[in-house]
Amino acid sequence: MNPLDRIARVRLSSVYLPLDAPVSDAKVLTGRQRPMTEVAFLFAEITTEGGLEGLGFSYSKRAGGPGQYAHACELAPDLIGEDANDIPRLWEKLAWAGASVGRGGLAVQAIAAFDIALWDLKARRAGLPLAKLLGAHRDSVRCYNTSGGFLHAPIERVLENAAAALERGIGGIKIKVGQPDGRADLARVRAARERLGADVPLMVDANQQWDRPAAARMGRALEEFGLVWIEEPLDAHDHAGHAALATALDTPVATGEMLSSVAEHAELLRAGVDVLQPDAPRIGGITPFLRLAALAEHHRVQLAPHFAMEIHLHLAAAYGQEPWVEHFEWLEPLFEERLEIRDGRMLVPDRPGLGLTPSERASAWTAERREFR
């Protein structure tokens, strides 16, 4: 090992990003969750003896932020003195260090921040954007907006948001459904399709709020709108139900964002799904995401990673089949840089690594910070 590649310092930060207004999807309208007012982030900054640096992050919505940070603080000392090049080995080391809390959920979401930071460091050292280090298939990825389509906003506001997104250059629009009254959902989708026209890619997301009979009825009723996909029509762990629905409908069925391990995704792929929506921070970082992407490509499944476009743009660019990436502007205040969007596509930045620098506002929103040497 080159002594300069030894990890000399790990800095962890617990950051709470406030949202401009409380956000509601179907889980709120059905009484299962409260409106979301903030997103908790776990940032990891890793520095080698040679002065190379990498930045990674994980996140949690509504609950789990303090737990992720606490578990990361338990794991961080195990990285000191290690070779930053050995990313898969270090993932396994951290997983075994926290084996008593499992290999999914919060346990791997804490590891994700370290893993992403190590990949960022490796790409920076090579002087390449992460997508290029991984082996890009394209320099831009189709993108669609979700943040303007939540259920707390009346349909006219949603349509205004959609028009602004398309004007900005975003290529597709996703709106939330899954309300207690399915007729309200259908009216919302009809209004969107009529306003956007037949050529704009349109997706809907039910956020797991239908049972199998309701999903079948709503899926059939939604066929006329020519949707790109129906997202999470069923409980995220109902693999058989999603597979059966995908077989029954012409409209593709998408799911996967709530799964927190490669093993869970592998089970979903075996059952059958049209569009896979993994989330790198939720499944443990880039190392497990790459394993999952290879498996998904083997199954010839379309890929549309969930949230965290700042990370997923690079991973989607390295996927063999043409993917989608999800546009949320929520994270933009955390970083100095902005991603460029043009002609319906998000452009891979030419900056090394992820191409991200924490902003001053991120420091102001930091609740806790610890450094390990």
Side-chain angles (χ1 to χ4, degrees), residues 51-244:
L52 295 171
E53 297 181 344
L55 173 70
F57 66 87
S58 190
Y59 74 93
S60 184
K61 297 177 180 178
R62 293 185 175 89
Q68 284 185 13
Y69 178 74
H71 190 49
C73 288
E74 292 180 308
L75 299 177
D78 289 334
L79 289 174
I80 302 303
E82 288 283 6
D83 189 335
N85 296 299
D86 300 340
I87 303 176
R89 181 180 66 81
L90 294 179
W91 196 99
E92 292 293 332
K93 179 180 182 179
L94 296 180
W96 278 108
S100 64
V101 288
R103 289 206 175 189
L106 184 151
V108 299
Q109 289 160 13
I111 295 173
F114 300 122
D115 184 78
I116 293 166
L118 289 169
W119 279 103
D120 180 54
L121 189 156
K122 189 170 188 175
R124 289 191 194 193
R125 180 175 52 220
L128 294 171
L130 177 61
K132 293 293 185 182
L133 180 76
L134 298 176
H137 285 266
R138 57 195 65 83
D139 294 324
S140 65
V141 180
R142 294 181 297 182
C143 65
Y144 67 95
N145 176 264
T146 293
S147 51
F150 278 81
L151 288 173
H152 64 275
I155 186 58
E156 280 303 317
R157 174 62 62 83
V158 168
L159 297 178
E160 291 171 5
N161 294 340
L166 295 173
E167 180 67 23
R168 182 177 174 180
I170 291 169
I173 300 296
K174 187 172 80 180
I175 66 172
K176 298 289 186 173
V177 294
Q179 300 174 88
D181 185 350
R183 293 170 296 183
D185 283 337
L186 294 175
R188 202 171 177 89
V189 177
R190 187 178 301 281
R193 177 51 83 201
E194 290 176 353
R195 183 73 62 87
L196 297 175
D199 295 332
V200 172
L202 178 64
M203 305 84 161
V204 301
D205 183 358
N207 287 110
Q208 310 179 71
Q209 295 311 291
W210 295 328
D211 58 21
R212 290 189 183 187
R217 287 194 299 270
M218 291 298 295
R220 289 192 296 268
L222 290 166
E223 295 273 36
E224 67 172 292
F225 300 112
L227 302 176
V228 178
W229 66 64
I230 299 171
E231 183 171 331
E232 281 198 324
L234 300 167
D235 183 279
H237 295 274
D238 186 0
H239 305 322
H242 278 105

Side-chain angles (χ1 to χ4, degrees), residues 351-370:
R351 301 181 295 273
L354 292 172
L356 299 175
T357 308
S359 67
E360 292 184 6
R361 280 185 286 181
S363 296
W365 292 325
T366 298
E368 295 183 71
R369 177 173 287 148
R370 285 190 64 182

